[in-house]
Amino acid sequence: MKKLFLSLVLIFGISYQLVPQTSSETDIIYRVDVSNYQDDLFHVNVFVSGLTQENNIYNFASTAPGTYSIMDFGRFVKSFKAYDGEGNELSTEKISTNSWEITHAEKLSKLVYDVEDTFDAEYTEHKVLPMAGTGIEDDFIVINTFGVFGYFEGLQSNPSRVKVKYNPDWTVGTALLPDEDGYYVAETFDRLADSPFIIGELSYASTKVNEMEVEVYVYCADSTINADSVLVAADEILQAAGKYIGYSPVSHYDFLFCFTGIETFQRNNFSAAGALEHSYSSLYVQPGMSGISQEVRNEMAHEFLHILTPLNLHSNVIQPFNFVVPTASEHIWLYEGVTEWSSDIMQMRAGLISIDEYLSIISEKLTFNDRFDQDISLSEMSLNAYNAHMINEFLNFYNRGAVTAAMLDIRLLELSNGTTGLREVFLELLRRYGKDKPFPEDEFFEVFVDMTYPEIEQFINDYILGAEPLPYVEYMEKLGFRYVGEVPSEDIRPTMGFALARNENGELMTLNVSDEGKKNGLEEGDVVLKVLGEEFNMQTARSIIHEVWAMNVGDTCNIVIKRDDAEMELNVILMQRMDRHVFKEMENITERQKFLRDAWSRNL
Ligand SMILES: [Zn+2]
């Protein structure tokens, strides 16, 4: 089934001005006008009839599935009016950040409101990440539907239809299917919220992978990446996913890419980029790079595999989803950690990456894990996901969370004598539960132990509920891999002993400062102002870093940093790059190691 057509251009004429007929009493029709993008607002009309007093509150989302963050989209609503069938205004009252009460809901015929996009709105608290936000730019528009449309109290499971008015020269990409009148149809608010749109000068490509129709829409500011190049990567990733899952979990899937360019990122002061998963699509908003890197491929694999969890395997705490009150589940180790592990190991098992490349991924994840708080358990990270202090720690689900899943896989393979790994247990859970059959939040660990081995209870207690150091040295040895704490890297470019990240002010700061970097006087979070006498910022960083790379280990590099508003000058000694948490092939591996390695390296 093909959901959208590249040449689909909706023609808006006089009919757009007419009040549409709702097909059932509480069939909700949304119309959003973004044709005049210069005013930077989503102009929304909501048509509805047959409401009762129970439905007198219109809620905007505070959070949305997969984001694990408070976004409070009510903050971006600029005007809000309600009308009856004769066009008389009904009184409304804003009763909380995200909710409006309509006094005579039974008379309501139309809501009219404007919403500002999150990309360039001025606000400081609870920053909305671009892939979870809304953007109106000169040449593209991102609509995360939960950021523009709300739902009436009690009607979260009612169907709705959406019409979008936009520049007719542009293309729209979304996994929703339009009806013959050009309305996109969603069976529930959850389905609507699960269906983002990108609109703009998009390139388009499609293919069929096994039984699945796959479409790719790409906006790329500098045209270095187009839908055809994404499709090549998508095809390989989806083939690997097909082997991993063993069946086509959905009949159609869309990859929606926005490569915005560095300039857009800086102007909007985004602190992070990435992707957000949905049931029939995934949305990527990032600055873009030359070509489709392995990083983008990994991201595509990760987002696609979210179809398994949390989209189909999730706890009763997040299904039905509470858009109004952010409610944390304890099982993000599964939703994010197991998904991240699956997305890497499935590529190794399909031959897209080698065993060595897979081992380097584990090493990188362990190296990243070192900079996070080691005393917080995955379960604690999950339960506190919505707390501000957990925002940075959350990233460790992609590191420690994924390595924990990798260790659980090895333990299961060992206990089952090579017959059942984590993938097999995971697929069995998917057979047991499903989109509309959530697992019990509080009993899930017991369910998992019952399905596997009593020893797994200890694993869960130590590494998911507890924060014991992961047993990677011992476990990887079971597969015939020897652990080496640190080796000189084959990469001969010298290093200053830190990575770079943007802070909330858009400045470049030190991240992951190594022991050597610390000896040179650097600390985590120092803002780098000058390197080799040159101003250091997003524009100049690349060329300056290349100058540093051309120097030698032992050379001195003068830098100026800012720490707690004080500037200091440091003479940093350039160092040999080191690889940490390295796994190497053991010599003379035993039959048992060989046997477990073999089981580990394929989908059983
Ligand atoms: Zn994820």
Side-chain angles (χ1 to χ4, degrees):
M1 177 168 55
K2 188 164 179 177
K3 307 261 329 189
L4 282 164
F5 310 95
L6 178 62
S7 58
L8 180 76
V9 174
L10 301 178
I11 309 296
F12 294 93
I14 296 159
S15 67
Y16 187 80
Q17 302 303 329
L18 298 175
V19 173
Q21 292 301 305
T22 52
S23 59
S24 71
E25 288 228 310
T26 40
D27 171 24
I28 297 145
I29 293 181
Y30 301 95
R31 278 178 172 178
V32 56
D33 185 347
V34 276
S35 55
N36 175 22
Y37 51 86
Q38 285 88 348
D39 72 3
D40 217 24
L41 291 169
F42 295 99
H43 300 284
V44 183
N45 285 3
V46 185
F47 299 92
V48 70
S49 59
L51 296 191
T52 67
Q53 269 308 302
E54 272 101 78
N55 318 126
N56 67 342
I57 294 169
Y58 189 75
N59 295 306
F60 289 94
S62 172
T63 185
T67 65
Y68 310 103
S69 60
I70 295 171
M71 297 183 284
D72 285 343
F73 286 102
R75 294 181 293 173
F76 307 103
V77 176
K78 292 291 149 203
S79 65
F80 191 91
K81 290 196 185 308
Y83 298 92
D84 68 12
E86 272 112 51
N88 303 310
E89 193 173 343
L90 302 173
S91 72
T92 59
E93 188 190 349
K94 187 175 180 183
I95 54 168
S96 68
T97 307
N98 301 306
S99 302
W100 274 255
E101 189 177 282
I102 301 136
T103 309
H104 287 288
E106 71 283 356
K107 293 188 191 162
L108 183 68
S109 169
K110 182 166 83 164
L111 293 178
V112 178
Y113 59 83
D114 292 339
V115 193
E116 198 182 4
D117 66 321
T118 63
F119 277 20
D120 59 3
E122 285 193 13
Y123 66 107
T124 48
E125 248 199 337
H126 299 311
K127 282 289 204 179
V128 178
L129 292 174
M131 61 282 195
T134 52
I136 301 176
E137 294 280 324
D138 289 348
D139 46 4
F140 71 95
I141 288 168
V142 171
I143 307 179
N144 266 297
T145 43
F146 50 74
V148 175
F149 307 126
Y151 70 92
F152 293 96
E153 192 73 27
L155 301 183
Q156 190 179 335
S157 51
N158 280 45
S160 60
R161 290 183 283 152
V162 177
K163 192 172 266 193
V164 188
K165 189 179 180 186
Y166 56 93
N167 176 349
D169 296 333
W170 285 359
T171 301
V172 57
T174 178
L176 283 180
L177 182 70
D179 64 14
E180 63 269 22
D181 299 321
Y183 284 92
Y184 294 95
V185 182
E187 57 270 29
T188 61
F189 179 76
D190 294 59
R191 175 79 174 93
L192 176 63
D194 194 23
S195 311
F197 288 67
I198 58 170
I199 304 170
E201 283 176 21
L202 313 180
S203 59
Y204 169 80
S206 68
T207 188
K208 197 164 181 176
V209 180
N210 302 321
E211 292 307 300
M212 187 169 40
E213 299 282 353
V214 177
E215 295 186 300
V216 175
Y217 291 89
V218 176
Y219 166 80
C220 183
D222 62 5
S223 306
T224 52
I225 300 173
N226 62 27
D228 289 323
S229 55
V230 174
L231 195 70
V232 174
D235 189 50
E236 285 182 0
I237 294 291
L238 294 173
Q239 298 283 3
K243 287 178 196 150
Y244 185 80
I245 303 168
Y247 57 92
S248 283
V250 285
S251 58
H252 59 92
Y253 194 82
D254 286 12
F255 288 98
L256 308 174
F257 272 95
C258 265
F259 293 108
T260 65
I262 292 277
E263 189 274 323
T264 301
F265 252 67
Q266 281 181 294
R267 178 164 37 80
N268 292 317
N269 205 9
F270 294 142
S271 57
L276 183 59
E277 76 271 17
H278 299 280
S279 300
Y280 300 93
S281 61
S282 40
L283 172 65
Y284 305 73
V285 183
Q286 33 207 269
M289 44 204 87
S290 43
I292 301 296
S293 62
Q294 182 60 37
E295 203 180 324
V296 174
R297 296 164 68 94
N298 292 346
E299 245 185 309
M300 291 167 74
H302 176 103
E303 301 308 330
F304 181 75
L305 283 180
H306 269 311
I307 287 189
L308 303 183
T309 192
L311 292 162
N312 276 290
L313 181 65
H314 46 234
S315 103
N316 53 2
V317 160
I318 57 170
Q319 173 71 25
F321 190 80
N322 194 333
F323 286 92
V324 175
V325 184
T327 312
S329 162
E330 190 178 9
H331 301 293
I332 304 179
W333 67 274
L334 169 72
Y335 314 143
E336 293 299 340
V338 172
T339 297
E340 178 69 3
W341 164 77
S342 297
S343 68
D344 293 328
I345 205 156
M346 109 184 165
Q347 293 187 66
M348 190 260 283
R349 289 176 180 171
L352 295 184
I353 58 172
S354 65
I355 287 185
D356 277 348
E357 283 167 319
Y358 177 77
L359 294 176
S360 324
I361 291 174
I362 303 246
S363 301
E364 273 169 35
K365 290 187 185 307
L366 287 171
T367 305
F368 262 110
N369 168 53
D370 287 344
R371 53 174 278 253
F372 292 96
D373 189 334
Q374 302 300 308
D375 298 327
I376 304 178
S377 72
L378 294 176
S379 149
E380 223 180 317
M381 274 161 63
S382 285
L383 289 168
N384 292 292
Y386 286 104
N387 294 350
H389 73 276
M390 209 55 84
I391 287 179
N392 289 331
E393 295 302 321
F394 190 90
L395 288 174
N396 210 9
F397 279 115
Y398 308 102
N399 300 296
R400 177 147 50 107
V403 179
T404 304
M407 297 303 113
L408 181 55
D409 179 47
I410 297 169
R411 185 72 175 129
L412 287 165
L413 286 169
E414 182 189 34
L415 292 166
S416 69
N417 212 10
T419 59
T420 308
L422 181 55
R423 167 186 173 268
E424 290 69 34
V425 178
F426 187 31
L427 293 179
E428 176 58 29
L429 282 162
L430 276 152
R431 279 188 283 273
R432 256 189 222 199
Y433 301 99
K435 208 171 189 67
D436 300 313
K437 195 181 172 201
F439 60 73
E441 167 86 12
D442 297 338
E443 290 152 40
F444 187 60
F445 289 127
E446 282 161 49
V447 170
F448 199 97
V449 173
D450 283 349
M451 280 174 69
T452 56
Y453 301 91
E455 290 88 341
I456 295 300
E457 189 180 350
Q458 192 63 49
F459 186 97
I460 291 170
N461 287 340
D462 289 347
Y463 310 118
I464 299 177
L465 292 167
E468 295 291 319
L470 286 171
Y472 43 85
V473 178
E474 176 198 344
Y475 277 36
M476 293 300 280
E477 204 175 302
K478 296 178 201 290
L479 306 175
F481 299 116
R482 179 169 55 90
Y483 176 78
V484 187
E486 191 174 82
V487 289
S489 173
E490 284 172 11
D491 185 345
I492 55 159
R493 297 168 305 175
T495 170
M496 293 195 271
F498 59 84
L500 287 166
R502 293 186 65 192
N503 67 14
E504 60 270 24
N505 302 321
E507 298 163 316
L508 290 167
M509 63 165 197
T510 59
L511 179 78
N512 215 2
V513 180
S514 68
D515 289 345
E516 294 83 356
K518 284 176 190 155
K519 274 182 216 149
N520 274 320
L522 286 154
E523 286 180 15
E524 200 76 15
D526 287 342
V527 174
V528 184
L529 300 174
K530 279 187 183 176
V531 174
L532 298 171
E534 294 173 71
E535 298 289 338
F536 194 72
N537 53 43
M538 289 285 281
Q539 277 84 21
T540 60
R542 190 181 291 259
S543 73
I544 296 175
I545 288 168
H546 275 93
E547 278 180 58
V548 174
W549 284 346
M551 295 166 73
N552 295 311
V553 169
D555 287 354
T556 303
C557 176
N558 183 274
I559 69 170
V560 177
I561 57 148
K562 185 176 72 176
R563 185 184 302 157
D564 303 327
D565 293 330
E567 285 190 17
M568 0 178 155
E569 196 176 329
L570 298 171
N571 283 317
V572 171
I573 314 270
L574 296 183
M575 288 161 287
Q576 155 83 50
R577 230 164 252 271
M578 302 300 281
D579 290 339
R580 295 194 165 80
H581 301 298
V582 177
F583 295 97
K584 299 223 181 249
E585 188 79 34
M586 293 169 85
E587 290 121 41
N588 308 320
I589 68 171
T590 64
E591 282 306 310
R592 177 72 181 167
Q593 285 169 319
K594 223 181 265 174
F595 173 77
L596 279 182
R597 166 98 61 97
D598 173 63
W600 167 81
S601 59
R602 54 199 174 87
N603 298 318
L604 299 168

